[in-house]
Amino acid sequence: MTAAAPSQSSPSWRKGIIAYLMVAPPLLLMILLIFIPALQSTARTLTIDVNGAPGFSISRYTAFFQDPISVSNLFFTFQVTLITLAAIFILCFPLAIYLRFANGKLAGAVQVLALFPLFVPGIILAYALIRFLGTRGTLDNVLSIIGFTGYRTPYLKPDAIIFGLVWESIPFTVLVLTAGLRQISDSLIESARDVGANSWQIFWRIILPQIARPVLIVFSLNFLGIFGSYTIPYLLGPAAPQMMGVFMQQTFGQYRRPDDAETQAVITFIICAFIGFLYVRTVANQRKREDSE
Amino acid sequence: MKLRLILLVVCIALLGALSVSAQDRTPIYVYTDSDTNISDFWTNTIIPAFEAEFPQYEVILTIVRGVGGGNADIANRALAAMTTGDDPQVDFFETMNTDAQQDWVDAELFLEVTEEMVPNLANVIPATNRLPQEMPYRGSQVLLAYNSDNVAAEDVPTTYAGLLEWIKNNPGQFVYNRPDKGGSGAAMVTRAIFEVTGQDPSKFVPGESDEALIAEFSKAWELLGSVHDSIYEGGAYPAGNTPVLELLANGSVSMITAWSDQGLQAYNLGVLPETTRFAQLQDLPFTGGYAFSAIPSNSTNQEGALALANFLLSAEMQQAIVETIGGFPSVSWEMLPAELQSQYTSVITDTVPTWPGGAYGAAMVEGWYNNVATNIDPSS
């Protein structure tokens, strides 16, 4: 912004005002619909009624962390999120590298396939996976045709949640990673090869450092989506333990304990806000670097 | 030039005609979050029949199934509209527990309906146990559905104790869904509660919450916990009525609890195999329930909503409920043709126990999650 050269037709102050006007609506929406309610919620969870006057207390949080079911659900959410993230990277990294360096019809087909989950709503996916992974489902039938009979379905177990979430996250991850990889110019890799670097060295010394940022973006945005996911764990996961999204809804709607649901929400929010902070810092650093270049 | 003018005139005339025809009919905004069989029944049967009889109304059905809190969210919207004096944009809730949230009761969000307003309410049977704001229009009862290839007719349990025994003897062959995700699973749980509280559903009064009675639920958790390992996949509970039907349909299990309407309809459509049979417990049947419609008191088309309510309770619609969706009528069976009555003798029972929900419902769901389907040892 500061580097913008003032032009004669529109003075810089007017440009500044236009810029602020343009960011104002989303900013206002964020403040009114997200920040203020979040702050209010947080404040409420820290308040108790002391003889009619509000007093400060962390009793709702101690209650959460003393309840083994709540703690196991939080732990389970972390576990599913991290395993899913690991699986996403293991699957999508080779895929993105392939799509970056391969050309031709096959690469095009792979790209279409990798993006396909983007167009399938979560609830449809959940029911499709029930049919595919369930007992006497497609996978079970195919396995028994080739003589494998000991199939145990992951449906209604944690594995099914991971399966569904990984499938859902592939398109976004592949898109961002491929875009990151495209920023590495061919000439850079060719010159490295000219001076005798092997594939591994190229990957380790050139590609990896260059795409640290896309990786962090993929990590944080996927983390947020998975940590707060609802449909897939609701339909495919076990009755216990539960992921926080399902647990919150149940505490609020079924157990009728809005206070506890609010506490769960704030805890989830704080964890997600921390990851969100990582994301924002990454993007901001990128801006700064681009500005200074 | 001329052509353009003509086109313009035609367009204006068309718009005018459209707006006139739209103004002709007063809309009745109906919301439902019930399963597909019910929303289909509304779209294909009820609405055309109603609009044919009452051409002055246009029924606009909005399906909010699986969207957030479903109808409850719309009721909260109506409550918010009530405080600000706005149009709630809803005239009729297909199903609604009018006392589910204290705010609704306090604000008198739902209209109290009397026989003067809805004459056909006079035919509704007392077993429906309605609140003054509620209009029961269709019933359904949970039944056992089983695959007769795997279960001989004489082995089908007739008592709840017998059912638990059957589950233990046939591990992995029975499944019911989580009690908050569908009524067929809830009936399995509430039946356990009835079992340990003396098989007397009348102890449970809607709107009350008797702490001593809730304390007895722990015995029900022991009963259900004793068969936990023998449920499908060592204790895997699906998240809805339909996934449970699916497990019976594809042969993963041999016996389930199922809503009469969903089971019978799936059977008629061939979704459930021809070998499927239905049975009811003889000592105390599973709970049944009635779908209660309700009208928000700030509805802007109360007249239309009341006409619709009365229409739903007519003999014609009640018969359609039995024939089309396998539901139970909320009026006396005697109002329906005799041959229809005899067709359903195998599953009609005199008693339709109802579960009050409310505080009991919350205790039931939470108790089940914390004690039966838990990964935490409750004793630790």
Side-chain angles (χ1 to χ4, degrees):
Chain A
M1 200 76 75
T2 49
S7 71
Q8 290 199 321
S9 59
S10 62
S12 65
W13 62 267
R14 198 191 282 173
K15 250 192 184 168
I17 285 180
I18 290 173
Y20 283 119
L21 279 178
M22 279 169 78
V23 295
L27 199 67
L28 267 176
L29 266 185
M30 287 276 288
I31 290 172
L32 288 177
L33 293 181
I34 298 178
F35 288 127
I36 292 179
L39 280 177
Q40 278 176 332
S41 259
T42 315
R44 255 200 309 272
T45 56
L46 290 168
T47 323
I48 49 158
D49 188 67
V50 188
N51 303 324
F56 175 80
S57 162
I58 56 160
S59 60
R60 286 218 226 163
Y61 291 92
T62 48
F64 179 93
F65 286 105
Q66 271 167 5
D67 173 30
I69 291 173
S70 305
V71 172
S72 89
N73 285 345
L74 183 64
F75 180 73
F76 178 67
T77 311
F78 266 114
Q79 213 179 5
V80 168
T81 308
L82 294 178
I83 295 175
T84 308
L85 279 170
I88 289 171
F89 276 112
I90 291 170
L91 267 174
C92 294
F93 230 109
L95 204 55
I97 289 180
Y98 169 76
L99 289 175
R100 161 69 180 81
F101 294 105
N103 291 308
K105 271 194 182 145
L106 185 64
V110 170
Q111 174 125 31
V112 168
L113 265 185
L115 295 187
F116 178 66
L118 207 58
F119 308 106
V120 181
I123 198 154
I124 307 273
L125 165 67
Y127 278 101
L129 281 180
I130 291 176
R131 292 221 156 173
F132 180 73
L133 295 171
T135 32
R136 312 219 175 176
T138 316
L139 186 60
D140 195 1
N141 287 340
V142 169
L143 286 176
S144 63
I145 287 169
I146 59 168
F148 180 83
T149 49
Y151 178 72
R152 295 280 294 188
T153 176
Y155 172 44
L156 301 174
K157 292 171 197 149
D159 305 3
I161 307 182
I162 296 169
F163 207 98
L165 289 174
V166 167
W167 200 80
E168 248 190 347
S169 312
I170 287 175
F172 168 73
T173 311
V174 168
L175 273 180
V176 175
L177 287 183
T178 317
L181 285 167
R182 288 209 197 285
Q183 290 186 342
I184 306 169
S185 63
D186 283 340
S187 57
L188 198 63
I189 291 162
E190 275 156 22
S191 51
R193 201 164 272 150
D194 286 346
V195 294
N198 61 30
S199 301
W200 173 248
Q201 282 170 324
I202 290 173
F203 176 73
W204 190 249
R205 294 273 176 83
I206 296 175
I207 296 179
L208 213 53
Q210 294 259 8
I211 62 159
R213 233 178 298 127
V215 165
L216 200 58
I217 289 171
V218 161
F219 170 83
S220 42
L221 289 188
N222 272 333
F223 185 100
L224 297 178
I226 295 166
F227 203 83
S229 59
Y230 180 75
T231 312
I232 298 282
Y234 171 100
L235 285 168
L236 295 177
Q242 289 182 329
M243 286 184 70
M244 290 307 282
V246 183
F247 184 45
M248 261 183 265
Q249 195 277 333
Q250 195 158 288
T251 309
F252 179 78
Q254 305 299 331
Y255 303 172
R256 301 185 181 198
R257 292 204 314 246
D259 287 4
D260 290 341
E262 194 169 41
T263 313
Q264 294 159 10
V266 170
I267 290 171
T268 311
F269 177 77
I270 290 170
I271 293 164
C272 290
F274 176 72
I275 301 293
F277 169 75
L278 280 185
Y279 168 73
V280 171
R281 213 186 56 171
T282 314
V283 175
N285 279 348
Q286 183 177 4
R287 284 274 160 74
K288 230 181 260 168
R289 197 180 301 181
E290 278 168 6
D291 282 349
S292 63
E293 267 165 13
Chain B
M1 199 65 208
K2 237 182 197 172
L3 188 70
R4 272 196 208 163
L5 231 130
I6 293 171
L7 269 178
L8 194 74
V9 169
V10 167
C11 277
I12 290 171
L14 263 178
L15 270 176
L18 273 176
S19 60
V20 165
S21 72
Q23 274 164 8
D24 265 2
R25 302 159 68 199
T26 331
I28 305 175
Y29 291 100
V30 179
Y31 277 80
T32 178
D33 56 4
S34 297
D35 279 320
T36 331
N37 57 336
I38 304 301
S39 52
D40 285 353
F41 178 55
W42 273 77
T43 317
N44 301 327
T45 309
I46 295 178
I47 295 176
F50 177 76
E51 287 181 344
E53 202 163 321
F54 296 89
Q56 69 269 41
Y57 296 123
E58 182 188 14
V59 177
I60 298 170
L61 179 71
T62 308
I63 300 166
V64 286
R65 167 178 61 243
V67 185
N71 272 0
D73 285 355
I74 307 302
N76 281 324
R77 193 182 77 186
L79 182 68
M82 192 180 226
T83 33
T84 56
D86 287 318
D87 179 358
Q89 292 176 352
V90 50
D91 301 301
F92 195 90
F93 287 103
E94 190 266 325
T95 60
M96 180 53 62
N97 290 321
T98 56
D99 65 339
Q101 294 186 18
Q102 194 56 41
D103 295 354
W104 304 346
V105 180
D106 294 342
E108 293 178 7
L109 178 62
F110 296 101
L111 188 71
E112 285 198 19
V113 276
T114 59
E115 286 173 21
E116 284 84 62
M117 298 152 98
V118 180
N120 282 339
L121 267 180
N123 302 326
V124 166
I125 52 174
T128 57
N129 237 341
R130 77 177 186 103
L131 291 171
Q133 295 85 358
E134 297 175 336
M135 296 163 287
Y137 87 98
R138 61 179 167 88
S140 180
Q141 192 160 14
V142 173
L143 311 166
L144 285 176
Y146 63 95
N147 186 338
S148 58
D149 274 351
N150 304 337
V151 187
E154 63 268 21
D155 294 337
V156 176
T158 54
T159 62
Y160 194 71
L163 174 61
L164 295 179
E165 202 54 41
W166 189 93
I167 296 170
K168 278 181 213 162
N169 293 336
N170 300 276
Q173 289 303 306
F174 184 86
V175 72
Y176 63 98
N177 62 260
R178 301 170 206 170
D180 57 324
K181 306 288 192 263
S184 68
M188 183 69 192
V189 179
T190 54
R191 185 60 185 79
I193 291 172
F194 290 149
E195 186 78 3
V196 298
T197 51
Q199 293 196 357
D200 181 11
S202 68
K203 284 182 183 170
F204 295 85
V205 181
E208 282 184 9
S209 83
D210 178 353
E211 285 302 320
L213 203 53
I214 291 177
E216 287 186 67
F217 287 12
S218 61
K219 286 183 276 177
W221 311 143
E222 278 169 36
L223 275 191
L224 291 168
S226 72
V227 296
H228 172 72
D229 294 334
S230 308
I231 300 294
Y232 168 68
E233 285 291 319
Y237 304 91
N241 297 321
T242 318
V244 168
L245 283 169
E246 181 115 339
L247 289 176
L248 180 69
N250 72 14
S252 298
V253 297
S254 300
M255 196 185 291
I256 59 168
T257 52
W259 278 112
S260 59
D261 56 347
Q262 294 185 343
L264 289 167
Q265 203 181 28
Y267 179 77
N268 290 337
L269 290 171
V271 177
L272 285 177
E274 265 178 44
T275 50
T276 309
R277 297 286 177 273
F278 298 94
Q280 182 57 278
L281 295 180
Q282 299 305 313
D283 51 347
L284 175 70
F286 285 110
T287 46
Y290 289 88
F292 298 99
S293 300
I295 300 169
S297 45
N298 53 344
S299 147
T300 50
N301 186 9
Q302 237 168 53
E303 203 182 319
L306 288 169
L308 179 61
N310 199 49
F311 184 73
L312 288 176
L313 296 173
S314 65
E316 179 200 352
M317 280 299 110
Q318 290 293 307
Q319 187 179 339
I321 283 166
V322 179
E323 288 173 343
T324 317
I325 56 170
F328 286 5
S330 63
V331 300
S332 167
W333 277 93
E334 279 146 33
M335 286 192 59
L336 306 181
E339 54 176 320
L340 194 66
Q341 292 179 43
S342 63
Q343 219 181 316
Y344 282 85
T345 41
S346 61
V347 285
I348 294 176
T349 56
D350 299 334
T351 31
V352 185
T354 51
W355 175 254
Y360 289 123
M364 181 268 284
V365 171
E366 187 166 7
W368 184 84
Y369 272 104
N370 291 352
N371 298 288
V372 179
T374 177
N375 56 323
I376 310 285
D377 184 0
S379 57
S380 70

